[in-house]
Amino acid sequence: IIPSCKYLPAETAHSFLDLADAGAMIILEGDVPMAPGWHNMEERTAELKRIWNQFQPVKGVRKVVDVHEALKTTGIRREMLTDIEGLEFIRRKTDQGTEYFLVNQGKQPFEGWIPLDVEAQSVILMDPMTGSSGKGTVQDGRNGTNVLVQLPSKGSIVLRALSHEIEGADWTYTYAGLSLSLDPNWKIEFISGGETLPPGGELTVLDSWTTLGEQAAAFSGTAKYSLRFDDPGRADKYQLDLGNVQNTAAVYLNGQAMGTSIMAPFQFVLSGLKPKDNLLEVHVTNLAANRIRDLDRREVVWKNFYDINFVNIDYEKFDASNWLVRSAGLLGPVTLQPMADDVYA
């Protein structure tokens, strides 16, 4: 495909003829370009036009106004998922099928059918953050295969479209529009970090732990948020959404690790809930910025470097004393969504 361009060397145009003679399909968009540069420009432009006029009789060469329409006539289909606002992807071909790495760059979560430009018998969904995977719900599309995808804002997923049917567990989806809020009465305990561990307590509202006093505002490390709750009785599995987390989170249910996330979306699959009195623990670790700010405000010597100069981005003396306090901890809201593999069946 040669997109519409203003300048093109005659030698390059001649190579297109060679490709066409070898059996390649050449699509030329737009009018005849000009030869680049001032040296013998008129002669070289005339040569370019002469070559350009040879394209039309050559088998496999098409002069078009609309590339998309030309591709349709050649049987080449485009990826229709590019029409979905906010979704971006890359793909690759394998011996078994086609793989897509899909990211939701939009501000809103996406939920719906993704059209893939492949004929697939199975589509495997894989979460690159947690390692979980399963067979997705699929249906025949107009020009390929549609697969059901739920993707939060800034979330990513790998789709492996296979040309054959496979056995295995189904992908677990959340029930659309059904979200259960957890009791806001959390306990917080600072378990590691420094300079000192602030006192814990009970929270009636989830907010940055920096609001709990000067000691907490200067703290960098890990705090444990804990909550006891009963099984809502809506499903065997639930998706736990922690909402806003500053900055990483590890989740434990009844003492068992449910996963760790270093970036949004902070979502985890909870299974094996007891009917009563489940213990949910969330270990949240913030960045070191607040502690560095506090050290510089108190003029504590901490830059113990002997072979480099420690400077800021303007190559001036590094000083964090005027930094603003960064939010830290579990800010929520924390919700549960029932999950199943057949919610859209």
Side-chain angles (χ1 to χ4, degrees), residues 9-254:
E11 296 82 1
T12 304
H14 197 279
S15 68
F16 299 156
L17 280 176
D18 294 338
L19 288 171
D21 289 337
M25 171 77 68
I26 307 295
I27 297 177
L28 304 169
E29 181 186 32
D31 298 325
V32 183
M34 298 172 57
W38 288 103
H39 179 66
N40 293 332
M41 183 183 66
E42 293 182 357
E43 296 178 11
R44 291 185 295 107
T45 298
E47 173 67 8
L48 179 61
K49 290 182 179 179
R50 186 187 66 80
I51 297 174
W52 205 264
N53 290 332
Q54 296 180 45
F55 282 131
Q56 195 61 42
V58 177
K59 183 179 180 180
V61 177
R62 302 187 183 189
K63 296 180 181 179
V64 301
V65 177
D66 190 322
V67 171
H68 294 293
E69 291 300 321
L71 287 174
K72 287 182 181 179
T73 63
T74 62
I76 299 175
R77 304 177 308 204
R78 70 183 183 90
E79 288 285 0
M80 301 298 291
L81 71 87
T82 57
D83 295 335
I84 303 176
E85 184 177 357
L87 296 188
E88 298 183 7
F89 72 98
I90 57 175
R91 71 177 185 182
R92 69 175 183 178
K93 298 281 188 177
T94 69
D95 293 339
Q96 295 182 324
T98 305
E99 297 177 349
Y100 296 77
F101 178 70
L102 186 65
V103 179
N104 182 5
Q105 297 285 24
K107 295 182 179 180
Q108 301 298 323
F110 172 83
E111 183 169 345
W113 295 96
I114 295 288
L116 304 180
D117 183 30
V118 292
E119 303 289 345
Q121 296 298 316
S122 301
V123 178
I124 308 302
L125 278 63
M126 300 182 291
D127 187 335
M129 291 299 297
T130 66
S132 60
S133 63
K135 292 195 302 180
T137 301
V138 298
Q139 62 179 206
D140 293 334
R142 184 177 61 181
N143 292 314
T145 303
N146 295 338
V147 57
L148 182 63
V149 172
Q150 296 171 327
L151 200 56
S153 175
K154 308 308 177 184
S156 60
I157 198 165
V158 176
L159 308 177
R160 177 174 289 173
L162 304 176
S163 57
H164 57 279
E165 187 67 44
I166 66 167
E167 298 295 331
D170 292 325
W171 180 259
T172 305
Y173 295 93
T174 60
Y175 281 93
L178 183 56
S179 180
L180 309 171
S181 297
L182 287 180
D183 191 319
N185 295 309
W186 292 76
K187 292 182 180 179
I188 183 173
E189 177 186 359
F190 295 89
I191 57 177
S192 66
E195 183 167 320
T196 58
L197 298 180
E202 295 186 357
L203 305 174
T204 56
V205 176
L206 287 176
D207 200 353
S208 172
W209 73 46
T210 59
T211 62
L212 300 179
E214 293 185 5
Q215 192 175 358
F219 175 78
S220 288
T222 301
K224 179 177 69 176
Y225 292 78
S226 59
L227 176 74
R228 292 189 176 274
F229 69 101
D230 297 336
D231 186 347
R234 300 291 186 89
D236 294 330
K237 293 182 180 180
Y238 296 88
Q239 178 176 271
L240 172 69
D241 191 327
L242 298 181
N244 187 359
V245 174
Q246 303 293 327
N247 293 92
T248 68
V251 172
Y252 300 84
L253 178 66
N254 298 324

